[in-house]
Amino acid sequence: MQNFLKTGLIATALAFGTLTTIAPAAFAIDEVLVTADATASNLAVSGYDVIAYRTGTPTEGSADFTAIFEGATYRFANQANLETFEANPARYAPAYGGFCAYGVSKGKKFEVDPTAFKVVDDVLYLNFNKRIQKKWAKKEDQYISKADTNWTNIRSTAVGDL
């Protein structure tokens, strides 16, 4: 019985010793993952090329052609689109930081489907999905007006605080 207890205590000590040896490495890995996830979450418009929206055809950008604007990483399909964006990023960046235009009109920040969009007066508006985009399009002037007002109040507010 004593041998069994001694073996159990040794196994427990080894397990805890192993855990304390592994744990710092796991935390280091978690820190890297958090950093990587934070960078990925800063990918604007799910990596779609914001210049391509002006042609009416959403196109995925490439990691080979990137620019950073207001803390977000934008990707482009080609060098020409990257250069166009860099010449005037505020003109081409999506309205409301890339959040759903309809959601912002309701005082909320929602992620978007990058294929649910409309360019109005040279401004790119994105929506949660195509169903919401159709609803938004029926009264887009009213929703844009309300969203413009709301955006000044919620721009710096965390998503979870809305």
Side-chain angles (χ1 to χ4, degrees):
M1 181 73 157
Q2 283 182 339
N3 255 355
F4 177 77
L5 288 175
K6 199 182 284 187
T7 305
L9 288 174
I10 291 170
T12 303
L14 286 173
F16 280 114
T18 303
L19 287 176
T20 56
T21 305
I22 291 173
F27 287 119
I29 290 170
D30 286 344
E31 287 172 20
V32 170
L33 292 176
V34 167
T35 302
D37 288 345
T39 302
S41 70
N42 289 335
L43 185 62
V45 196
S46 300
Y48 276 69
D49 181 336
V50 292
I51 303 301
Y53 283 99
R54 276 24 186 223
T55 67
T57 307
T59 305
E60 287 189 59
S62 166
D64 294 335
F65 306 105
T66 62
I68 296 176
F69 178 65
E70 294 184 341
T73 302
Y74 288 83
R75 289 185 178 172
F76 303 91
N78 54 54
Q79 184 67 34
N81 286 5
L82 169 61
E83 291 171 6
T84 299
F85 180 82
E86 288 180 325
N88 191 354
R91 175 181 177 193
Y92 296 105
Y96 319 124
F99 288 102
C100 173
Y102 178 80
V104 173
S105 77
K106 302 297 183 184
K108 303 290 182 184
K109 291 180 177 177
F110 298 122
E111 294 297 318
V112 298
D113 171 351
T115 65
F117 77 99
K118 186 166 183 190
V119 176
V120 178
D121 296 329
D122 204 35
V123 177
L124 172 60
Y125 296 95
L126 300 162
N127 280 284
F128 181 74
N129 59 31
K130 290 184 179 184
R131 183 180 61 78
I132 293 296
Q133 197 277 324
K134 286 178 185 175
K135 180 176 183 170
W136 176 83
K138 290 178 184 175
K139 297 180 183 179
E140 69 189 28
D141 290 340
Q142 292 172 21
Y143 289 129
I144 290 170
S145 177
K146 185 66 176 163
D148 287 348
T149 300
N150 287 345
W151 187 242
T152 60
N153 297 321
I154 69 170
R155 180 182 187 133
S156 299
T157 305
V159 173
D161 292 338
L162 295 174

